[in-house]
Amino acid sequence: MSMDIVKLLEDVAQKRISVEEAQLKIKKEPFEDIGFAKIDLHRKNRQGVGEVIYGAGKSADEVRDIVKLMKDRQDDGILITRLSDDKAEVLKESFDDITYYEKAKLAIVGKKHDITGKGKIVVVTGGTSDIPVAEEAALTAEFLGNEVERVYDVGVAGIHRLFANLDTLMEASVVIAIAGMEGALASVVGGLVDCPVIAVPTSVGYGASFEGLSALLSMLNSCAAGVTVVNIDNGFGAGFFANKINQR
Amino acid sequence: MSMDIVKLLEDVAQKRISVEEAQLKIKKEPFEDIGFAKIDLHRKNRQGVGEVIYGAGKSADEVRDIVKLMKDRQDDGILITRLSDDKAEVLKESFDDITYYEKAKLAIVGKKHDITGKGKIVVVTGGTSDIPVAEEAALTAEFLGNEVERVYDVGVAGIHRLFANLDTLMEASVVIAIAGMEGALASVVGGLVDCPVIAVPTSVGYGASFEGLSALLSMLNSCAAGVTVVNIDNGFGAGFFANKINQR
Amino acid sequence: MSMDIVKLLEDVAQKRISVEEAQLKIKKEPFEDIGFAKIDLHRKNRQGVGEVIYGAGKSADEVRDIVKLMKDRQDDGILITRLSDDKAEVLKESFDDITYYEKAKLAIVGKKHDITGKGKIVVVTGGTSDIPVAEEAALTAEFLGNEVERVYDVGVAGIHRLFANLDTLMEASVVIAIAGMEGALASVVGGLVDCPVIAVPTSVGYGASFEGLSALLSMLNSCAAGVTVVNIDNGFGAGFFANKINQR
Amino acid sequence: MSMDIVKLLEDVAQKRISVEEAQLKIKKEPFEDIGFAKIDLHRKNRQGVGEVIYGAGKSADEVRDIVKLMKDRQDDGILITRLSDDKAEVLKESFDDITYYEKAKLAIVGKKHDITGKGKIVVVTGGTSDIPVAEEAALTAEFLGNEVERVYDVGVAGIHRLFANLDTLMEASVVIAIAGMEGALASVVGGLVDCPVIAVPTSVGYGASFEGLSALLSMLNSCAAGVTVVNIDNGFGAGFFANKINQR
Amino acid sequence: MSMDIVKLLEDVAQKRISVEEAQLKIKKEPFEDIGFAKIDLHRKNRQGVGEVIYGAGKSADEVRDIVKLMKDRQDDGILITRLSDDKAEVLKESFDDITYYEKAKLAIVGKKHDITGKGKIVVVTGGTSDIPVAEEAALTAEFLGNEVERVYDVGVAGIHRLFANLDTLMEASVVIAIAGMEGALASVVGGLVDCPVIAVPTSVGYGASFEGLSALLSMLNSCAAGVTVVNIDNGFGAGFFANKINQR
Amino acid sequence: MSMDIVKLLEDVAQKRISVEEAQLKIKKEPFEDIGFAKIDLHRKNRQGVGEVIYGAGKSADEVRDIVKLMKDRQDDGILITRLSDDKAEVLKESFDDITYYEKAKLAIVGKKHDITGKGKIVVVTGGTSDIPVAEEAALTAEFLGNEVERVYDVGVAGIHRLFANLDTLMEASVVIAIAGMEGALASVVGGLVDCPVIAVPTSVGYGASFEGLSALLSMLNSCAAGVTVVNIDNGFGAGFFANKINQR
Amino acid sequence: MSMDIVKLLEDVAQKRISVEEAQLKIKKEPFEDIGFAKIDLHRKNRQGVGEVIYGAGKSADEVRDIVKLMKDRQDDGILITRLSDDKAEVLKESFDDITYYEKAKLAIVGKKHDITGKGKIVVVTGGTSDIPVAEEAALTAEFLGNEVERVYDVGVAGIHRLFANLDTLMEASVVIAIAGMEGALASVVGGLVDCPVIAVPTSVGYGASFEGLSALLSMLNSCAAGVTVVNIDNGFGAGFFANKINQR
Amino acid sequence: MSMDIVKLLEDVAQKRISVEEAQLKIKKEPFEDIGFAKIDLHRKNRQGVGEVIYGAGKSADEVRDIVKLMKDRQDDGILITRLSDDKAEVLKESFDDITYYEKAKLAIVGKKHDITGKGKIVVVTGGTSDIPVAEEAALTAEFLGNEVERVYDVGVAGIHRLFANLDTLMEASVVIAIAGMEGALASVVGGLVDCPVIAVPTSVGYGASFEGLSALLSMLNSCAAGVTVVNIDNGFGAGFFANKINQR
């Protein structure tokens, strides 16, 4: 943004634009105000990735309106996360090119980005119940242009299942380790590989798992260095962060 | 105790003792009231192990008085846990046959029990900071008559250190797994061995370890079946429980 | 696992198998990858008990596929926990030899193990609302080959109900003490018997029971030594651990 | 206070006092403003007991000033709680008739009230470490004019010690049950006696006792009806409340 | 219970009953085992009040069976708490003399006790949403033989509403103060009256009330002495305890 | 209230009213007791704003009765918060002049107050999901006679959206900053403007947002001075407080 | 800040300054980088009050350097909060015009602002232990140019002490209500006065006050509208916010 | 590790080493057991970085022994974190080439790695109290071979201080955002830059910051995608992770 100001100042100094226009530009350009929301159309320039639609707190109509606006302004595909099955049904009526991934509760309008990531992102889970979160992570990373490999159900209670996939882990550019319950998977993986490990605690479990708190604390306290953590069940955040690393 | 009542009833019925004597017997026999404490001299019969002195909330004088009373009434050695260095110094003046273990903050007056446990109890720790808790567990188990093997500093961040000791773990009768931080050790060990695993969370760590809460929740949510948990830093409880299993 | 490596190394050294075969063996043998899950067929050898199916996070179809696979590879009965009534209905269509226990939300395909446990496992509960968790524990222990005795609704508010069952408790090989609310049962039982006591906090209660937290903390802080704790409502874990002790 | 207003209104109506005087009376009478504090000299009339000095947040000088003021205005003895040893030393220089109870960290200036309570208040503790809190409760009740009997160190881990004192408990007018760790004592006592039971959780314990939280939750969730709870370590509150019941 | 033993011992000594009969008596007398529950028929003798049925965790059929059993063995009315509307409907089919109080979710089979309490129990609430808990408390106290006066919706936000009822409060034998949100009512009432105050936090509120935690902590920390606390929403416990005080 | 007493005392002294009448006046005047509730009709005088009806814990019938009573006694419009759609439907049958705001779950019977606030209250939200809370705040402030400007969906993830509205923020008399998740909006706004900022955490988010706890703690710890906080989702409280400031 | 940009743009357009100068201005002007800190000299313009020095995390030398810098650049007095006694001693050596307030742990270098606030800010506390926090609030408000009246030790346990000061409260422009333990004072005051009430929870208390958590939750859940809350023990924040209101 | 096995198998198959030697190699090679610790000398190969010594739980003597061992086996410098001043003094006596960084409580024995990282790692803090954690992060990253730029004291309360450093942030390869209190810095930075952001919550703050919990939750719930979090005060972990990204 600092650079925008520099350029803008130059334009003003060169009389290429008026003061009023400049001020207007600062205010109006980077997003579109559609009443209930302000769509950040500028994000692609600023952060390398266009705005992603978080479907959870929005009606199907609101999501549709935002998608329409974004389709008009950009060529990229559009990612919608936390989209329920029934909202997805509604959207299918408006957009031919929408693909809905039921397990991940995630939709892509248009096409995924071309693969530009340099290495492979590996997504591992402790159990089968962690798969919805894992798919959110994997599909997000794929959408953003990365090759992704899935290694599911390799929790530490049967650690040989993890070791049988050591080659895959060793060759990864980034590993996303997803687990509920005690979340030990992140520490074990973090101790084995030399690439960055992003840990995602899930709300899988019961009783003293306290909706994912146990796995969250576990991962934050990992005795393995080189592990960072995102919010409980935040597969999207992990996939997005992994993409940032892999695109460098 | 139910059996005591049965026998007592018979004695009364047989007129071997009077009603008043019987009632008195129920009240007076199983402990000694020494003013500030009621020493449970009956516990050995009831639970197979004599009362253990918890040193934390007691003055050196109080501990000495209790030890004296117990020495008069029983032949066994006496175990004192959570005994600070300075209290230990005071006790050494009164008892020749006291041994103080500084790391474990634990003392034994008299001698340890003969080894009667059938197998070997293995005590593993995640790091070096867990050793004081581990020593409390190991010495408790040894005092109660068990062979103990220590495997320290084998946390999951360098899991090959654990695997290099797999033989020892595999041959254990009971494993006590002790770890702070994320406590993943318990789950990994629990998934590898077929004997009972007692997990001890420790308060080792900082920040979101919240004084051992992280390791505690982790161990309670272990994805490996066959793991049970004791209180944070409760090495004594783990050693005591392991003895119960190993003496069967 | 360490022993597998030893044997494998010998086979390789003896040229009985090639390096590639050996590596393959390490990777492929101990589990079956069926897409959404990796079934640990090796667990019986490693831990003395075959893999148990946790029904909560899986669809009826997924459970059925896993059961089929396991039936093909092993002779033992198969235990499924946390199975809802409607999923049980679906499974009954595929398997003739399935028995569903509605209170415990638990099913057994095939037959229970023969009784090989040396003593009796006693399951006690504080109230009637704890019975579902107790049945999960009791049936798990029975499935694994143990004689089980149930003593329900003997909470400390009417402690004579507990004492009337003292003989049963005194003769137990292991006691599983199950209670919600304040969880005092575990401490009282722990102070009376000389065998290991496994405490299971339940989510029974309201208000400041905080979904079982109160009972959980209570049991972890038990003033009676010789008590260990499993997760809230984890009847299966208690039954499984009790079996480990009783089979020694 | 409502009655004060009634009387005041009558005085005004009778012209016995002026409006201004009446208003003044409401404002000035019931307490004395000594700068840093407003001493409630009226409390004895309103609540049957004079104001008690909570020593924790006050300097020795401040406590002395308040005691002096109260001595001038009332004949009763004065109770000071949570008074540290060194502050007590300072006070002894100013007051001849002060008695300091070191274990309870409590002082009485002047004499205790005559015994007017109708029954006996029984104070029971789970362990020896609970005695300071118990003494605060017992001395408060004695100061307020009650006969008190102490039954210490009768925790549920050796429940026969409690039963040996059943006669005492059965004859109590009120029982104050004090325990740390898992606090099970309150439930067991609550299930045995027919008088009101006041439970006091203490901060005795370590790890998952979380400074008394475990005992607090335990007591709030007691399965025995007829148990109420005060703050952690609040011996004074329990003694004060017991007095209220016993003086009826 | 101790007294039972004394009497029993005498009977045995007098040969009035045999040892076996005595032992049987201890075991069988005080409760009835009806499979899923052990009904404590002895509680009336031991605690002055018969067992109360907690309806929450039981099916309508189970409640009916218990009521039937109790009706056969005792003349008193029977109190059932936490009984849902639909279970109440089922019970009405079996018992003519059942009265159901919908707001309080409480039923009485047979008639309330005669009024034997010496004073009046006053139940105050902070708001209208606290009334269900208040009615549980009031009806429990009435059932047990007490005169009860209700003063509802007098929270401290409009404190004159409370003061307008000061006469009622001042004349109370016991006050039950019920409030959610910040629970300040208990402290204000505790500072005004000289009788015992039982505080009941309710789960009324939202956000940082955390299901009653805010009111609970508030009440436990009351700056007014003479206040004790029961579990969140535990109207029954408060009414039961108030009865104990009022019946002295 | 103190002034009432002064005036009352004068009236009594002047014999304008009798003592009994005066006492009656204190008790009866300021509220109306309609059985289940005590309506505070006096609040307008005391606090400048009439009582507001909190619809959450009341039946549609109860709300209607209170509205009717208030309509008879005062001319002002009546505000009802937390009113569900179906209760609103019921009320529409009884009152012609009711307006229901569905997003805010808020109704106004009669008309809003005339605008008397001196400045403008600006309501900002971090996201679109915070809008229901924001509307509760905005409508409350409007009802009480203030000009309100809404600036929604300007969270710190796209901070230029916030800066584009800096003029509006800079000119505000009071800002209400509403955000869920990490609640950073309040700190950023608090650092930019010189007027008072009222922060409202919302329960928007998932996982470690813990139903608004994250935003609540964030706002309480704001590094920007001049920020105060209300309860989670408490739009009404923020609007009410903003009105108090703006009406000075 | 937006206005700065406007003016800057105009200056650039008018060629009054170059683009480079403009950019520099944005970067350099509003603060001074002194290595370990960036002093916000611009805050007075932006927020009406100069930067305040938070003494807690800084060495005496660091505080002195910042004070020196600020004295050179502005005429106003300088406020330092959370300054320990020994650091104050060090500062006294460097500055003649420093005044240190020991109870409040607060210092003022130079003179307080002239009184420009329109009304009176009243600071009330529940007890004497809350006075340090109250003095921080009162002195902050005085420093910023407000008349402040203190009403200390008027907690709700003796509510007539509060009522005797009703006139003072009624005439306040803003009330700051400060209390620990159960924090009920805020709700009672909030229900009595018609001005804004800022609640400050304190860490005064023990046990279940959990370092101020109890008072904090209490105040957030206040049943009285028109109350907002700041962080535990944050007297400065309350005084600062009260000033903002009072200066309008 | 999988690759080690492959190579080992080949060596065995080629008879280059015997079975016994191979097994020994697996067990002995990768770490050195020095009694109280098992030094992971293999980590450099496995994870690209040698073992780092965590000084907190170890005595000065223990640290010295480990350093000596590591110096003998590797050429790299050695990093010691959480080393107190007095332990550092002891180490200086044994090692000439030790450099101790007092603010960061961190020492380096030998020399830092050559700079091999491709971009620049930028470390930003909210306040001056966060600097110790920031220095731990910055020095760790420098030690591992990265160029680091520090931007301290740019918290969101004076957001222009952050914007004045936008160029630096925009050019970063990785940003480490460190803040206590409400931790909003991470979200604001995360919304501005397009590189990965690692957030480090610190324990700076008081009251409801709950030792860093507030900042931790804040950062986990960041509305800006592309932010991951490490444990409270874990500067080392952030620097280590940043290095992993920057070395790719």
Side-chain angles (χ1 to χ4, degrees), chain B residues 216 220 229-232 234, chain C residues 124-126 130 133 176-190 197-203 212-234, chain D residues 181-184 208-209 214-215 218:
Chain B
L216 172 61
L220 285 167
V229 186
V230 297
N231 194 3
I232 297 163
N234 189 7
Chain C
V124 293
T125 76
D130 303 314
V133 177
I176 298 175
I178 300 175
M181 301 172 86
E182 95 284 54
L185 183 68
S187 290
V188 173
V189 169
V197 175
I198 305 166
V200 188
T202 71
S203 52
L213 178 64
S214 168
L216 172 62
L217 293 181
S218 218
M219 288 167 168
L220 285 167
N221 286 287
S222 176
C223 57
V227 176
T228 58
V229 187
V230 296
N231 194 3
I232 298 164
D233 292 335
N234 188 6
Chain D
M181 301 171 85
E182 94 286 54
S209 85
S214 167
S218 217

Side-chain angles (χ1 to χ4, degrees), chain B residues 1 23 26-27 30-31 35-40 42-43 46 51 54 57-58 62 82 210 213 216 231-234, chain D residues 103 127-129 131 150-154 157-167 204-210:
Chain B
M1 191 152 44
Q23 190 187 7
I26 290 175
K27 287 195 177 169
F31 61 88
F36 63 91
K38 296 186 177 54
I39 311 308
D40 188 351
H42 200 237
R43 191 167 291 179
R46 213 170 64 247
E51 176 151 294
Y54 177 71
K58 303 189 181 69
E62 289 175 339
R82 309 243 161 175
F210 296 126
L213 178 64
L216 172 61
N231 194 3
I232 297 163
D233 291 335
N234 189 7
Chain D
K103 272 232 153 166
T128 58
S129 306
I131 292 180
R150 292 150 170 86
V151 180
Y152 291 168
D153 196 23
V154 292
I159 207 165
H160 56 296
R161 297 179 301 184
L162 179 65
F163 288 159
N165 290 280
L166 257 187
D167 289 355
V204 169
Y206 62 90
S209 85
F210 295 126

Side-chain angles (χ1 to χ4, degrees), chain C residues 24-152:
Chain C
L24 211 72
K25 219 163 170 174
I26 289 174
K27 286 195 178 170
K28 289 285 167 49
E29 194 80 44
F31 60 89
E32 187 80 12
D33 194 329
I34 57 168
F36 64 89
K38 297 188 174 52
I39 310 308
D40 188 351
L41 297 164
H42 199 238
R43 190 168 290 177
K44 168 110 199 201
N45 294 350
R46 210 170 69 248
Q47 299 210 304
V49 180
E51 178 151 293
V52 172
I53 304 173
Y54 177 70
K58 304 189 181 70
S59 70
D61 286 355
E62 289 174 339
V63 174
R64 190 189 49 225
D65 290 356
I66 299 175
V67 171
K68 276 186 183 161
L69 180 83
M70 289 173 74
K71 276 180 88 88
D72 290 353
R73 307 291 172 88
Q74 65 181 43
D75 296 332
D76 289 334
I78 296 164
L79 183 65
I80 313 167
T81 63
R82 309 242 162 175
L83 188 74
S84 60
D85 296 7
D86 52 331
K87 287 184 199 168
E89 284 310 308
V90 175
L91 291 182
K92 280 178 189 168
E93 293 165 18
S94 302
F95 306 104
D96 286 341
D97 56 347
I98 191 169
T99 314
Y100 181 61
Y101 301 84
E102 195 187 331
K103 273 231 152 169
K105 305 294 171 213
L106 178 151
I108 294 171
V109 183
K111 55 184 169 39
K112 298 180 184 176
H113 296 216
D114 294 333
I115 291 190
T116 52
K118 282 163 215 103
K120 200 188 288 183
I121 295 172
V122 176
V123 181
V124 293
T125 76
T128 56
S129 306
D130 303 314
I131 293 179
V133 177
E135 282 300 308
E136 192 185 84
L139 287 164
T140 296
E142 285 176 348
F143 170 78
L144 297 171
N146 301 279
E147 193 183 347
V148 175
E149 181 152 357
R150 290 147 171 92
V151 181
Y152 291 167

Side-chain angles (χ1 to χ4, degrees), chain C residues 103 127-129 131 150-154 157-167 204-210, chain E residues 1 23 26-27 30-31 35-40 42-43 46 51 54 57-58 62 82 210 213 216 231-234:
Chain C
K103 273 231 152 169
T128 56
S129 306
I131 293 179
R150 290 147 171 92
V151 181
Y152 291 167
D153 196 24
V154 292
I159 207 164
H160 55 295
R161 297 178 300 185
L162 180 64
F163 289 161
N165 290 281
L166 260 185
D167 289 356
V204 169
Y206 62 90
S209 84
F210 295 126
Chain E
M1 189 151 47
Q23 191 188 4
I26 289 174
K27 286 194 177 173
F31 60 89
F36 63 90
K38 295 186 176 54
I39 311 307
D40 189 350
H42 200 238
R43 192 167 289 178
R46 210 170 68 248
E51 177 150 295
Y54 176 71
K58 303 188 181 71
E62 289 174 339
R82 310 242 160 174
F210 295 126
L213 178 65
L216 172 62
N231 194 3
I232 297 164
D233 292 334
N234 188 7

Side-chain angles (χ1 to χ4, degrees), chain H residues 1-195:
Chain H
M1 190 150 47
S2 143
M3 283 174 296
D4 295 329
I5 292 173
V6 176
K7 194 179 172 309
L8 217 59
L9 292 171
E10 285 171 351
D11 287 349
V12 174
Q14 303 298 330
K15 301 257 181 209
R16 272 177 253 141
I17 63 169
S18 74
V19 167
E20 287 69 28
E21 282 169 335
Q23 188 187 8
L24 212 72
K25 219 162 171 176
I26 288 174
K27 286 196 177 169
K28 290 287 167 47
E29 193 82 46
F31 60 89
E32 186 81 12
D33 193 329
I34 58 170
F36 63 90
K38 296 188 176 52
I39 310 307
D40 188 352
L41 297 165
H42 199 239
R43 192 168 290 180
K44 168 110 197 201
N45 294 349
R46 212 172 62 248
Q47 299 209 304
V49 179
E51 177 149 298
V52 172
I53 304 174
Y54 177 71
K58 304 189 181 69
S59 71
D61 286 357
E62 290 174 340
V63 174
R64 189 188 49 225
D65 291 355
I66 298 175
V67 172
K68 276 186 180 160
L69 179 83
M70 289 173 74
K71 275 179 89 86
D72 291 351
R73 306 292 171 84
Q74 63 180 45
D75 296 330
D76 289 334
I78 296 163
L79 183 66
I80 313 168
T81 63
R82 309 243 162 174
L83 188 73
S84 61
D85 295 7
D86 52 333
K87 287 184 201 169
E89 283 310 308
V90 175
L91 290 183
K92 280 178 189 168
E93 294 166 16
S94 302
F95 305 105
D96 286 342
D97 56 347
I98 191 169
T99 314
Y100 181 59
Y101 301 84
E102 196 187 330
K103 272 233 151 165
K105 303 296 170 213
L106 177 152
I108 294 172
V109 183
K111 56 179 170 38
K112 297 181 185 174
H113 297 215
D114 295 333
I115 290 191
T116 51
K118 282 161 216 106
K120 199 188 287 184
I121 295 173
V122 176
V123 181
V124 293
T125 76
T128 57
S129 306
D130 303 314
I131 292 179
V133 177
E135 281 300 310
E136 192 185 85
L139 286 163
T140 296
E142 285 176 349
F143 170 78
L144 297 171
N146 301 279
E147 192 184 347
V148 174
E149 182 152 355
R150 291 149 171 90
V151 180
Y152 290 168
D153 196 23
V154 292
V156 299
I159 208 165
H160 56 297
R161 297 179 301 185
L162 180 64
F163 289 159
N165 290 281
L166 259 186
D167 288 356
T168 306
L169 288 168
M170 289 296 189
E171 294 160 20
S173 164
V174 187
V175 174
I176 299 175
I178 300 175
M181 302 171 84
E182 95 284 56
L185 183 67
S187 290
V188 173
V189 169
L192 289 171
V193 303
D194 66 346
C195 70

